Amino acid sequence: MGQTVIRLTRREALGLLGLGAAAAVFPKGAIIRTVLKDCAPEELAGGATLFHEHMSLAADFMPRWMQFARETRAGNAVRSGQPAAPPPAAPPGYFMQDVGLMADEMSAAKTDGIACIVDGGHPDMGRDIDFLRQISRRSGLPIVAGAGFYAQPFYPKEISTWSEQEILDALLKQVDTEPAGAFGEIGSWDEITGDERKVFRAVGRAHVQTNLPIFTHTGIPGKSAMEQLDLLESVGVDPRHVAIGHLGNLVDPEVKVQKAICKRGAFVGFDRQGGPGDAQQVPMVMALLEAGYADNLMFSADLSNVAQTKHGGGPGYAKALTVFIPKLKAAGAGEQVLHGIMVDNPRRFLAFVPKKPRSA
């Protein structure tokens, strides 16, 4: 049986986002670093900020991702007995390398009520800073670029031989040469590996030296969330600057892990929104709201497929706002609370006081 899809109109979205625009308070000197310029957090109060999306990936990234995911599931006996299928071919004319298409998608997201969007890629995922600059200029939508290393299957070969200090040096070089506004997405693939622990500690140390916030990719599904936070805290990271991602995938009506992370002061990322998984995730979000953790939640869609874009006939990059938020409203979430989650929380997360001058 099909389900009724409720979406916010542009007027409804802008009405929601206009509530309490001056509510968030930021440290003196705090900025949100976008690929084109540093913004005062107050400049982005007129719309939602999506803390984890993708606008620039290598054409072979998603085929490789799907191959590794299949192999991991088979190894975990979820699909035991089935041989691993070869990865699908990289699509010709990959949409995340089409400047015109992606500029149009960013313009559409802006029209739908998005004020800022974070790209969760970095060099080992094939992210292209110049491409992000082009689509930001053409659309007028501010874009925050990530930095870091993704997860074990995608690491450069050198990672296994590098020391934690060498990884830290490589991270600081990224920040020194590119206008990164966050470390992310920083991942553990399945069960966290020794190399991934080394990277997490190095990212935590890089945060201490730069103040850049950190958002993560947890495994399949939502594994290692607590250990990720433990590793970051162990090197001096304040959890208020951390978002543990993909925790909508960790389906638990009691939201035990999510509550534990919120209690420690970190953000919980529900970042695959606006699709069929919403039915399981709305009750979890409502449980966290009822427990008093609205200030610790952030939503995004982690868009990766052309079928999800406006060009491909989908709801587009704003779907966390236009598709998921109406479902929470229908479940009883208040507009002021939803404004805080979509507008205030991601700006508080992304705002930092730089310790180094802006890179080129």
Side-chain angles (χ1 to χ4, degrees):
M1 180 182 295
Q3 63 177 10
T4 301
V5 177
I6 304 171
R7 294 184 183 174
L8 289 181
T9 66
R10 180 171 183 267
R11 174 178 288 183
E12 289 169 335
L14 296 178
L16 166 67
L17 299 174
L19 291 171
V25 177
F26 305 97
K28 183 178 180 181
I31 56 95
I32 293 174
R33 177 153 290 164
T34 77
V35 293
L36 297 182
K37 67 172 186 174
D38 291 348
C39 300
E42 294 80 5
E43 293 179 54
L44 304 177
T49 291
L50 302 174
F51 85 100
H52 182 169
E53 300 292 343
H54 291 283
M55 289 79 74
S56 173
L57 291 170
D60 68 348
F61 176 82
M62 285 309 302
R64 293 173 64 206
W65 194 100
M66 289 186 283
Q67 177 193 20
F68 293 136
R70 280 195 301 267
E71 291 172 351
T72 301
R73 285 193 296 267
N76 288 337
V78 175
R79 298 176 63 187
S80 59
Q82 297 186 22
Y94 186 49
F95 76 104
M96 287 195 197
Q97 295 178 345
D98 185 326
V99 171
L101 186 156
M102 289 302 298
D104 288 347
E105 291 294 326
M106 295 300 97
S107 295
K110 185 177 179 182
T111 297
D112 284 342
I114 304 303
C116 181
I117 189 167
V118 180
D119 183 274
H122 26 72
D124 60 2
M125 300 164 81
R127 187 265 287 122
D128 184 333
I129 285 284
D130 288 335
F131 184 85
L132 295 179
R133 285 186 174 121
Q134 289 181 66
I135 64 175
S136 181
R137 286 192 188 100
R138 289 177 62 162
S139 65
L141 182 64
I143 295 174
V144 173
F149 297 102
Y150 178 39
Q152 187 75 55
F154 294 88
Y155 285 160
K157 292 181 180 179
E158 312 89 81
I159 288 283
S160 61
T161 62
W162 281 354
S163 67
E164 186 178 311
Q165 181 62 46
E166 288 173 311
I167 297 171
L168 171 61
D169 292 342
L171 290 166
L172 294 177
K173 183 178 180 180
Q174 286 186 33
V175 173
D176 286 343
T177 57
E178 297 181 338
F183 288 113
E185 60 183 298
I186 309 300
S188 51
W189 184 250
D190 187 48
E191 300 293 345
I192 194 166
T193 68
D195 284 344
E196 288 170 342
R197 291 187 180 96
K198 190 166 55 173
V199 168
F200 266 86
R201 287 191 297 269
V203 167
R205 291 171 61 191
H207 160 82
V208 171
Q209 294 195 31
T210 63
N211 280 344
L212 287 171
I214 302 165
F215 63 100
T216 79
H217 165 104
T218 48
I220 307 170
K223 290 183 181 178
S224 304
M226 297 301 294
E227 186 172 359
Q228 288 182 358
L229 190 54
D230 290 342
L231 287 164
L232 295 171
E233 283 197 87
S234 74
V235 293
V237 178
D238 185 329
R240 292 177 297 175
H241 304 299
V242 176
I244 304 296
H246 301 330
L247 288 184
N249 295 353
L250 191 61
V251 178
D252 171 15
E254 297 183 8
V255 286
K256 292 179 181 177
V257 169
Q258 293 90 339
K259 285 180 179 178
I261 288 170
C262 291
K263 187 174 182 179
R264 288 167 66 173
F267 290 93
V268 164
F270 282 76
D271 46 15
R272 287 179 176 168
Q273 310 315 114
D278 291 354
Q280 293 179 308
Q281 297 187 39
V282 166
M284 294 196 295
V285 171
M286 295 306 295
L288 290 168
L289 295 182
E290 290 164 10
Y293 291 123
D295 288 347
N296 298 85
L297 301 181
M298 290 195 294
F299 303 151
S300 200
D302 192 17
L303 190 148
S304 61
N305 189 311
V306 70
Q308 300 167 327
T309 65
K310 302 270 191 180
H311 175 84
Y317 276 87
K319 65 179 182 167
L321 173 65
T322 60
V323 179
F324 187 59
I325 288 296
K327 297 173 185 178
L328 291 174
K329 290 182 71 175
E335 290 193 353
Q336 196 76 36
V337 168
L338 295 172
H339 173 276
I341 294 171
M342 294 305 298
V343 179
D344 294 339
N345 290 359
R347 288 186 300 136
R348 286 193 295 108
F349 168 68
L350 290 170
F352 72 102
V353 179
K355 289 189 174 183
K356 291 187 173 185
R358 178 182 172 87
S359 59

